[in-house]
Amino acid sequence: MKKSIRPLVSGLAGLTAILVCAAYAQTSGVTFHNTVTGETLNFDDALPEGRDTDGVKKFMQTGANPYNEDPSCLKKGEQIFLSACSGCHGHLGEGKIGPGLNDDYWTYPENETDVGLFSTIFGGAKASMGPQYQNLKLDEMLLVMAWVRHLYKDDVKHATWLTEAQKTAYKPYKHDETFPDNSPGLCAGK
């Protein structure tokens, strides 16, 4: 019985196409890892609200927080930070029970990146830093991160999370700084 190899070749071509598409899908987004264990984070347990905002979608694809230095997002980020994070990290990110967040020293060096900081907030870390995926929406995590980045007080050239244009325009946080409710930007109307 003579068998044709045509179905085999066709099947391999199809499998190759599937593998190429799968590889592209993996590289087009960002992978997030638990800060302590290194395991890939699973977002299935995240709160359902706040998953599909434009900011979250962009962040999940690029790994860059689109809310950084957006005045329309900073006031919201400050409010969430003060209620959810300042008890451990201080009102100005100076550190209390938890480490400081407003300088060049990162307990977990990967937190210098937005992906690293998000992973730590979402999945937790050592000591008292528990996972926040059931306390904060994904969008709220990005808002908090933008606020933490805004509190940064050291040399802006080390602020790897800022674009070159943002570094040029960056002004360190001043204690009496306020933000209008109606600032234009990605968070306007939220």
Side-chain angles (χ1 to χ4, degrees), residues 57-143:
K57 289 176 187 174
K58 185 173 182 178
F59 177 67
M60 292 296 176
Q61 283 298 308
T62 66
N65 186 352
Y67 299 159
N68 285 344
E69 290 307 296
D70 182 329
S72 71
C73 301
L74 292 176
K75 184 171 190 167
K76 292 167 182 60
E78 176 187 26
Q79 292 166 345
I80 298 165
F81 179 86
L82 290 174
S83 65
C85 312
S86 66
C88 292
H89 295 287
H91 283 69
L92 302 175
E94 73 277 11
K96 289 168 75 175
I97 298 167
L101 303 173
N102 64 356
D103 57 23
D104 278 338
Y105 177 78
W106 294 99
T107 304
Y108 303 100
E110 60 268 36
N111 288 354
E112 185 176 331
T113 69
D114 287 338
V115 169
L117 185 56
F118 183 88
S119 297
T120 297
I121 294 169
F122 183 88
K126 293 182 180 177
S128 298
M129 181 63 195
Q132 297 300 305
Y133 62 83
Q134 287 293 302
N135 300 323
L136 296 173
K137 300 171 190 169
L138 298 182
D139 197 64
E140 290 175 327
M141 292 180 196
L142 294 179
L143 291 167

Side-chain angles (χ1 to χ4, degrees), residues 149-170:
R149 301 306 198 196
H150 186 68
L151 291 173
Y152 183 69
K153 63 179 180 60
D154 286 345
D155 192 336
V156 74
K157 72 180 178 185
H158 300 293
T160 59
W161 54 88
L162 295 176
T163 66
E164 289 305 315
Q166 288 171 327
K167 286 180 182 181
T168 301
Y170 187 77

